[in-house]
Amino acid sequence: YTAGGSSGAAKVVAAGLLTVGGGVGGTILYAKWDHKFRAAVENNVPYSDWLLGLALGPAYQGDIMKQVRMDSQHVWVIIADCFEKITGSEFLPHSEASAEASHIISAISEISTVPAPCDTESAVKEECKECQHHADPAVVAPHTELPLRERPVEEVAARLAQQDQKEQDTLSSVSASLEECLASSAKATLQAIGAQEAAVQAITQHIHKLKEAMEAEVPPPEKSSQWKDLEAALADRTSAVNDAETALLKAKEALDSLKSEIDKSKGLKVSAVRPLVLAAEENLHNMVVDLDRVVTKLQSAESESKIVSQYSDLVNEAKLQFQREVSSLTPEIQANWKGLTGKLSADDLNALIAHAHRRIDQLNRELAEQRVREQIHIDASLEQQKLEDQKALEKAVLTAVQHIKEDTRLEQERKLSELREVMEAEMRTQLRRQAAAHTDHVQDVLKVQEQELRADVLGSKLLEQETSYRQLSQEQLDNFTLDMNTAYARLKGMEEAIDSHVVAEEEARKAHQLWLSVEALNYSLKMADADSPTMPLESAAQAVRDSCHDNDFALALATALPEESLQRGVYSEASLRARFNALRALVRRVALVDETHNSLYQYFLSYLQAALLFEAKQEAPPGQLCSEDLDPFRLLSYASFCLEHGDLELAAKLVNQLRGEARRVVEDWLTEARLTLETRQVVSLLSAYANAVGLGTTQAP
Amino acid sequence: MSEKELGKKWDRCLADGAIKFGTGLGLGIVFSVLFFKRHTWPISLCSGAGLGMAFSNCQNDLRSSYLLHRSQKVGLCNKTHSN
């Protein structure tokens, strides 16, 4: 049924497509997983690489080697860097002049540094030793091949430049920090000074007001305002004093930090920093001095105010006492007694006057007492004052001494730095001079030595003897060389003669061998039965080939033998002759048959002709054939004649002139005759050649 | 050997001729007896036919070396032919 058939066909087609799709998909997946498989598929299936590239992307390229190379380069770079850093960082910064000096020395001589009396030079040497110690482990640590040899000039210059750079950096950083500190401390100090001045002002104001309040006789309402002013002044004073104290503390702090900064920068031991340090120290000193001055002023003001306050206290106390007494006497009278003149009675007045008298008496007595004790009090107060003065003096002296010490120290440092510079310059010039002197000396010594040598060699008899000796020895040498050359030439000649003899003998032997093999070939050629061909000439030909494998001519001849003769052998002349005789009758019978005349009737006519025509059995062929001679019967008689006389070649040539059916009939005979002729020719050539070679190799007696 | 070829051809000719003649004769005799009321002309006809055939065969055989076979005939082809 066609429907079933078509569904069957559809099933087959579907199954086929499924199989192909599955195969392709499976191949792609497996190629994705296994790269060798992918490579194999790409090699064997023509367009698979395109398909796989489309599906999976390009194949994995092995660039591990590249990564390894890059990593190894990295490692070397890192090692080189570390080495540089280690050797560079151990060099502590030098002073500029000493760096120049060491540069000069290393440039001239082989030694790295020379110990010098200056302490900076010794410091340099110490530092060099230190860094050499550090450089040695650094050399060992990265396991590199670099030995520690003298650094070249460029390297030294680079190092020094690096150090200068570092110095510059530290200098700038230190100066920046110092300036900052100075600025801050100056500000603080000024603030402190200002605060102190303000405090002094406030104190004096307060004192003045107090004094006023004490002694002025003003009416009561103004008095209370005065007291209020006084209180305000007191408050001002206390606040001003506190401010001054805090400002002082701050200034002291700033100065301390400045001092520490100065000490730190002194600790760096960079000389370029020194003037900065000096200037900073001077500034510090000035600020300290100012601060101290102001503090002393404040203290004096404070002491004065203390006195005044004491006085005011005493006055207040006396007033209070008097008031108490007055109130005890006249209790009903109020405190403000000055304004009560009209209100008092006579008794009160009397009592008051009596009290007043009594008080006066008391006071007189006290006064007398005081006058008596005055001197003692004065002495005591003088003593006290002396003590206080002494204390103040001591303190002032101490601070002054400190300041002077500081001044002198700064002066000393300044002078020291100047001196150092001068000495560095001097050292440099001395070294230069020394180097120049050294080169001059070396030049002189060399000149002197050269002259001595020349004098020695030129001026004495040794030279003559030397020359004669040289001449004689040269003569001897020449003679010897000559003898050697002749002997060598003779030896060479003898060797060549022997070699040529050997060669000639070898050649003769070979020629003999060739001749023998050719003779064998010749003999085998002659040995043939009547009707069968000779034995195959292969072995004899091989023998010939073997005996002449280095001779191109003979080899060419040996290979020119026809194949048939080698495999089957050739017919002898006699057999060919016999065969021809048999052939002749046949040729006669088909003489008239050719390409155009070849019907049976023609055959009959040809047979008739052969029966009726008679020609000579043998006839000598002419030197040249004319058209008449091309008649088959004549040709046959010529050929017979030639064969009878042993001339196979001419016979073959004549037979070759036959045409038509006659020719077809003699074809085989002709081929055989040709073979035989060829072989005979080659063999005769070979034998002639062998003879010639043999003759050529015979030595003349 | 090329000289023996002619002899072989003659042998074939003769054999062929003999066979054909004999067959013709036989057939002639048969026909003459069966169909032609023992006339002699079928006999001579058939035998003659036989001989004729033999002659023709012999001639062809002798000529065969001079005939060009179809495969040997070479014609000039035009270049316009598509190869």
Side-chain angles (χ1 to χ4, degrees):
Chain A
Y1 289 82
T2 51
S6 71
S7 78
K11 269 195 223 160
V12 165
V13 164
L17 279 173
L18 206 66
T19 316
V20 166
V24 168
T27 315
I28 289 176
L29 279 172
Y30 190 60
K32 186 172 179 180
W33 185 64
D34 185 8
H35 291 285
K36 276 191 201 154
F37 175 70
R38 180 177 175 162
V41 163
E42 280 180 9
N43 280 337
N44 291 322
V45 179
Y47 287 99
S48 61
D49 55 351
W50 170 78
L51 183 69
L52 286 170
L54 212 59
L56 302 173
Y60 170 72
Q61 304 286 343
D63 61 351
I64 294 173
M65 283 313 294
K66 227 197 298 176
Q67 272 224 342
V68 164
R69 241 178 273 125
M70 269 179 60
D71 283 340
S72 72
Q73 274 181 2
H74 249 292
V75 165
W76 282 117
V77 164
I78 287 167
I79 285 173
D81 245 346
C82 286
F83 183 56
E84 274 295 319
K85 277 195 190 138
I86 286 164
T87 50
S89 66
E90 295 309 320
F91 276 97
L92 302 175
H94 303 278
S95 64
E96 277 185 4
S98 63
E100 274 198 27
S102 64
H103 175 69
I104 289 168
I105 290 168
S106 66
I108 289 170
S109 71
E110 298 276 313
I111 311 161
S112 55
T113 50
V114 174
C118 185
D119 58 349
T120 51
E121 289 299 324
S122 66
V124 162
K125 196 185 175 207
E126 276 174 340
E127 282 157 3
C128 274
K129 270 198 197 139
E130 205 177 14
C131 65
Q132 272 202 357
H133 286 310
H134 280 280
D136 281 337
V139 165
V140 168
H143 299 285
T144 55
E145 300 282 306
L146 294 167
L148 200 65
R149 38 192 146 83
E150 184 213 339
R151 301 161 287 148
V153 172
E154 302 84 12
E155 213 184 304
V156 167
R159 283 259 162 75
L160 290 172
Q162 222 180 9
Q163 281 156 23
D164 286 342
Q165 187 62 33
K166 272 195 204 142
E167 270 182 35
Q168 287 288 342
D169 294 337
T170 48
L171 181 72
S172 54
S173 69
V174 157
S175 65
S177 61
L178 278 177
E179 269 176 30
E180 215 182 278
C181 277
L182 268 173
S184 63
S185 54
K187 218 173 26 172
T189 319
L190 282 171
Q191 259 183 3
I193 288 171
Q196 304 278 4
E197 298 265 332
V200 164
Q201 282 277 346
I203 290 173
T204 47
Q205 187 99 0
H206 174 72
I207 289 171
H208 185 68
K209 282 237 163 73
L210 196 61
K211 273 200 191 137
E212 261 186 32
M214 287 297 115
E215 290 160 5
E217 295 289 330
V218 293
E222 284 176 20
K223 198 107 182 156
S224 64
S225 70
Q226 227 178 22
W227 284 118
K228 277 207 194 89
D229 282 342
L230 194 62
E231 275 175 31
L234 179 66
D236 271 340
R237 176 204 155 159
T238 46
S239 71
V241 166
N242 287 339
D243 282 340
E245 221 156 298
T246 51
L248 181 69
L249 278 170
K250 257 195 243 167
K252 282 238 166 77
E253 254 179 53
L255 287 173
D256 282 336
S257 74
L258 178 64
K259 206 163 175 55
S260 69
E261 192 68 37
I262 287 173
D263 288 335
K264 206 171 54 174
S265 46
K266 262 201 234 166
L268 285 176
K269 288 192 189 165
V270 179
S271 75
V273 174
R274 279 207 196 109
L276 282 175
V277 164
L278 276 174
E281 276 181 346
E282 277 177 11
N283 279 337
L284 176 70
H285 174 65
N286 290 338
M287 283 192 275
V288 164
V289 163
D290 288 336
L291 212 60
D292 287 339
R293 205 164 12 100
V294 158
V295 164
T296 47
K297 248 203 283 188
L298 183 69
Q299 277 174 351
S300 62
E302 269 192 353
S303 63
E304 215 185 289
S305 79
K306 228 192 291 179
I307 291 170
V308 169
S309 64
Q310 271 180 358
Y311 168 66
S312 73
D313 284 339
L314 277 171
V315 166
N316 278 339
E317 217 185 288
K319 267 197 196 157
L320 277 168
Q321 180 114 17
F322 186 62
Q323 253 191 343
R324 255 187 267 124
E325 284 176 9
V326 166
S327 59
S328 70
L329 274 175
T330 54
E332 56 273 5
I333 297 171
Q334 301 301 320
N336 214 355
W337 55 273
K338 277 193 177 158
L340 285 173
T341 42
K343 292 176 195 160
L344 292 167
S345 59
D347 283 335
D348 286 334
L349 279 169
N350 287 338
L352 201 66
I353 288 167
H355 174 73
H357 275 294
R358 249 181 288 142
R359 187 79 182 149
I360 288 169
D361 285 336
Q362 191 199 0
L363 283 173
N364 279 334
R365 269 206 299 277
E366 271 188 17
L367 189 62
E369 218 179 288
Q370 279 293 337
R371 279 216 189 101
V372 166
R373 291 213 183 120
E374 185 184 317
Q375 192 64 37
I376 298 168
H377 284 169
I378 284 171
D379 287 339
S381 63
L382 272 175
E383 286 290 333
Q384 211 184 5
Q385 190 67 28
K386 250 193 233 165
L387 280 169
E388 278 183 10
D389 275 346
Q390 198 149 15
K391 263 195 241 158
L393 183 73
E394 272 175 26
K395 224 167 55 176
V397 161
L398 216 71
T399 50
V401 158
Q402 264 183 356
H403 291 159
I404 286 171
K405 258 199 219 165
E406 198 64 30
D407 268 335
T408 48
R409 193 181 65 81
L410 291 172
E411 191 71 33
Q412 191 189 27
E413 296 256 326
R414 231 181 291 135
K415 288 229 174 76
L416 209 69
S417 66
E418 278 172 18
L419 192 66
R420 204 176 280 131
E421 275 175 29
V422 164
M423 282 172 68
E424 291 286 351
E426 203 181 305
M427 171 64 94
R428 234 183 290 148
T429 48
Q430 289 297 336
L431 283 170
R432 262 197 232 118
R433 255 189 242 152
Q434 202 176 39
H438 178 72
T439 47
D440 284 340
H441 173 70
V442 162
Q443 269 179 1
D444 288 339
V445 165
L446 278 173
K447 261 191 222 140
V448 163
Q449 278 185 354
E450 197 185 324
Q451 276 173 0
E452 272 179 29
L453 204 67
R454 268 213 208 108
D456 262 345
V457 170
L458 285 174
S460 68
K461 269 190 259 171
L462 274 169
L463 187 69
E464 291 166 13
Q465 282 179 4
E466 185 91 3
T467 45
S468 69
Y469 169 68
R470 269 208 213 110
Q471 248 179 353
L472 283 170
S473 65
Q474 194 63 35
E475 248 181 65
Q476 288 293 317
L477 212 68
D478 289 340
N479 286 342
F480 182 64
T481 317
L482 218 68
D483 288 338
M484 280 291 290
N485 283 343
T486 45
Y488 187 69
R490 282 178 65 200
L491 183 68
K492 268 274 170 258
M494 277 196 284
E495 269 183 7
E496 268 183 40
I498 291 171
D499 283 341
S500 67
H501 259 275
V502 165
V503 164
E505 271 181 30
E506 183 69 27
E507 286 293 311
R509 195 182 59 75
K510 271 201 218 149
H512 196 64
Q513 204 173 344
L514 181 66
W515 186 83
L516 279 173
S517 56
V518 166
E519 278 302 303
L521 188 61
N522 224 354
Y523 182 75
S524 63
L525 197 63
K526 287 200 183 94
M527 284 292 114
D529 297 336
D531 284 327
S532 61
T534 62
M535 58 183 164
L537 304 173
E538 181 60 49
S539 52
Q542 188 58 41
V544 171
R545 271 200 292 270
D546 289 340
S547 65
C548 68
H549 53 81
D550 58 345
N551 194 336
D552 287 343
F553 181 66
L555 205 61
L557 281 176
T559 48
L561 280 169
E563 198 55 40
E564 275 288 313
S565 73
L566 292 173
Q567 305 303 332
R568 192 207 58 181
V570 291
Y571 285 94
S572 66
E573 202 174 319
S575 64
L576 282 172
R577 205 180 314 136
R579 192 165 157 190
F580 184 75
N581 290 331
L583 216 52
R584 188 173 171 174
L586 188 56
V587 170
R588 284 181 82 248
R589 277 211 290 274
V590 293
L592 277 180
V593 181
D594 61 15
E595 291 92 3
T596 45
H597 311 98
N598 53 13
S599 60
L600 266 175
Y601 176 62
Q602 204 69 23
Y603 269 91
F604 168 69
L605 286 176
S606 169
Y607 270 75
L608 196 64
Q609 184 191 41
L612 293 177
L613 209 144
F614 294 98
E615 79 283 5
K617 276 273 176 196
Q618 291 169 17
E619 203 180 321
Q624 274 185 336
L625 287 174
C626 50
S627 57
E628 288 167 351
D629 294 328
L630 292 178
D631 173 46
F633 295 97
R634 293 228 22 218
L635 283 171
L636 283 171
S637 53
Y638 291 152
S640 280
F641 179 85
C642 293
L643 272 175
E644 285 306 313
H645 286 85
D647 191 354
L648 183 57
E649 193 182 335
L650 190 55
K653 280 185 195 164
L654 286 163
V655 166
N656 199 25
Q657 302 306 318
L658 289 169
R659 295 276 174 267
E661 186 65 32
R663 177 52 182 272
R664 279 193 58 240
V665 158
V666 299
E667 197 67 55
D668 272 354
W669 184 89
L670 206 52
T671 319
E672 290 299 329
R674 271 209 205 99
L675 268 177
T676 307
L677 283 168
E678 254 187 74
T679 313
R680 271 208 293 179
Q681 189 183 39
V682 167
V683 167
S684 71
L685 275 173
L686 271 173
S687 83
Y689 176 68
N691 285 333
V693 167
L695 273 175
T697 55
T698 48
Q699 306 272 352
Chain B
M1 306 274 231
S2 57
E3 60 258 29
K4 296 207 167 83
E5 213 181 295
L6 192 64
K8 283 186 200 151
K9 277 185 188 169
W10 280 122
D11 286 343
R12 279 206 295 274
C13 272
L14 283 173
D16 193 36
I19 288 168
K20 285 204 167 50
F21 178 73
T23 312
L25 193 68
L27 266 177
I29 289 169
V30 165
F31 284 151
S32 120
V33 163
L34 284 179
F35 303 117
F36 297 110
K37 298 179 201 114
R38 297 180 184 224
H39 286 284
T40 44
W41 61 266
I43 298 170
S44 50
L45 180 71
C46 290
S47 58
L51 269 176
M53 279 195 277
F55 181 91
S56 177
N57 275 350
C58 186
Q59 195 168 269
N60 265 339
D61 195 8
L62 287 167
R63 263 185 192 164
S64 66
S65 56
Y66 294 109
L67 288 174
L68 284 175
H69 294 285
R70 248 189 148 59
S71 59
Q72 288 170 348
K73 287 182 187 158
V74 173
L76 298 166
C77 342
N78 281 338
K79 279 277 166 96
T80 54
H81 274 256
S82 61
N83 271 7

